[in-house]
Amino acid sequence: MSDPAPLVSVVMPVLDSARYLPEALDSILAQTCRDIELIVIDDGSSDGSQAIIAAYAARMPMMHALYLPRDPSLRSGARARNAAIAVARGTYIAAMDSDDIALPDRIALQVDYLRQHGLDACGGQAEAFGAVAHPMWFPVGEVALRHELIFRVGMLHPTVLARADFMRAHPYDPATAHDDYEWQTRVAFQGRLGNSPATVLRHRVHPDQSNYRFRAEFDLDLRRGRFPHVYRLFPDTPPRAYHALSLIAEHSALQGDAELALAAEWLCRLAAPDDPALKARMARRWDEICRFADPAPDDALRARVAAAIDPGRG
């Protein structure tokens, strides 16, 4: 007789993460939600990660280990995630990275939040540590999340928890480097996405992360995903407005009054959802635009637009 299926399958791809892997594994094994399985899938490590995985799996019945051969052409863990999701038995799939630390209530909080709000996929807030240390903010509401996706991911991927059938219907693309952004922009209109306001993860920042090692590929994937996403959101976007949004997203200097006016108009539009944190985020983007614009706007215009973007500011 087979064991009953768990509520949640936690999927953790691993590639040369021996330095951080024990902390990541321990944080999942210490979850207050006990109705879980942990699927760790090694993507061809050569640094001792496989020995760590085998040692944990030998003493933890709820952990399952899978091993794939190394494919040096890949720039993400998409292939590994898809393979793990294919064998997962849980009603829900929780993503986890092998260098992060999940807080003890992460799984329990997110299952409750997803169910209460009728979501297909749910992220959460995080705290960055390591090379940098600061709180990380992600939009709570569905519309705000779609707006934020113009500029970056709307959910921090190692906080994602989703219905298993939703994940299987929308697998990751192994051909991309920034696979989480590609996935989120692709599914943003296929299901209901949101973020819990609770902090559920400590996100480690270090120079071996893929977004540092494959910066050029990540930037290209951001551009590829941004274009269709913007035109799904706003089908009548003029080319010059899309150009301005791209400059903002890529932290490039805007030039001239016309580009500044477009940036102000669109940041006000994107800040429209009733989400004070989203308005504050768009106002900070306006501040950045003003600092690097050529020529810089005068103080009166800068303050007037900031107040329009975020009326509650100040």
Side-chain angles (χ1 to χ4, degrees):
M1 184 175 178
S2 60
D3 294 333
L7 178 66
V8 179
S9 297
V10 181
V11 169
M12 183 190 295
V14 176
L15 178 59
D16 293 337
S17 300
R19 181 177 178 185
Y20 310 119
L21 183 55
E23 283 186 288
L25 293 170
D26 288 343
S27 75
I28 297 300
L29 299 174
Q31 290 294 299
T32 57
C33 175
R34 306 306 300 166
D35 193 7
I36 65 175
E37 66 175 354
L38 171 58
I39 304 173
V40 180
I41 181 160
D42 186 85
D43 214 1
S45 295
S46 58
D47 71 339
S49 292
Q50 293 184 0
I52 295 170
I53 294 167
Y56 270 78
R59 68 176 191 269
M60 303 301 301
M62 47 79 75
M63 178 173 159
H64 312 287
L66 303 173
Y67 301 92
L68 296 177
R70 184 73 165 261
D71 183 343
S73 71
L74 299 178
R75 295 292 185 265
S76 75
R79 175 187 68 154
R81 290 191 191 98
N82 288 340
I85 291 168
V87 300
R89 299 181 301 131
T91 304
Y92 303 104
I93 303 290
M96 181 62 187
D97 284 354
S98 58
D99 51 0
D100 290 334
I101 300 172
L103 298 187
D105 289 336
R106 179 209 157 176
I107 301 299
L109 285 169
Q110 289 191 269
V111 168
D112 286 346
Y113 191 86
L114 182 142
R115 287 171 164 172
Q116 289 170 13
H117 293 82
L119 301 177
D120 295 298
C122 169
Q125 311 306 315
E127 190 81 28
F129 75 105
V132 299
H134 58 79
M136 302 179 72
W137 170 83
F138 294 90
V140 172
E142 184 176 22
V143 175
L145 190 154
R146 289 174 178 172
H147 287 191
E148 187 67 12
L149 269 170
I150 292 174
F151 306 102
R152 59 164 187 152
V153 292
M155 300 182 288
L156 183 65
H157 191 261
T159 72
V160 168
L161 182 141
R163 292 185 7 245
D165 58 347
F166 185 74
M167 298 295 282
R168 292 194 178 97
H170 304 286
Y172 296 97
D173 182 358
T176 61
H178 203 346
D179 60 315
D180 50 341
Y181 185 75
E182 189 281 331
W183 185 80
Q184 289 179 35
T185 53
R186 177 159 41 92
V187 305
F189 291 88
Q190 304 300 317
R192 294 200 60 201
L193 313 184
N195 283 295
S196 166
T199 299
V200 298
L201 186 89
R202 297 188 68 220
H203 178 60
R204 193 187 306 270
V205 180
H206 59 88
D208 292 330
Q209 288 173 305
S210 296
N211 59 314
Y212 290 116
R213 294 168 53 222
F214 306 121
R215 185 70 260 169
E217 291 95 331
F218 266 59
D219 288 344
L220 181 59
D221 287 338
L222 284 165
R223 295 185 190 111
R224 286 172 172 162
R226 182 183 305 122
F227 184 84
H229 181 69
V230 168
Y231 282 95
R232 283 190 210 104
L233 271 172
F234 306 110
D236 298 327
T237 304
R240 60 194 184 92
Y242 178 78
H243 176 67
L245 288 170
S246 295
L247 291 175
I248 298 169
E250 296 174 20
H251 307 282
S252 299
L254 278 72
Q255 298 184 336
D257 293 342
E259 282 189 354
L260 278 172
L262 271 175
E265 174 189 344
W266 278 83
L267 288 177
C268 287
R269 187 173 183 178
L270 293 171
D274 188 16
D275 184 332
L278 178 70
K279 296 179 188 298
R281 183 79 177 199
M282 297 302 173
R284 286 197 296 274
R285 288 193 170 102
W286 173 247
D287 286 342
E288 180 179 338
I289 289 167
C290 293
R291 285 199 305 273
F292 296 106
D294 182 21
D298 62 58
D299 290 344
L301 173 62
R302 181 171 176 170
R304 186 166 65 252
V305 172
I309 293 171
D310 184 7
R313 191 174 185 179

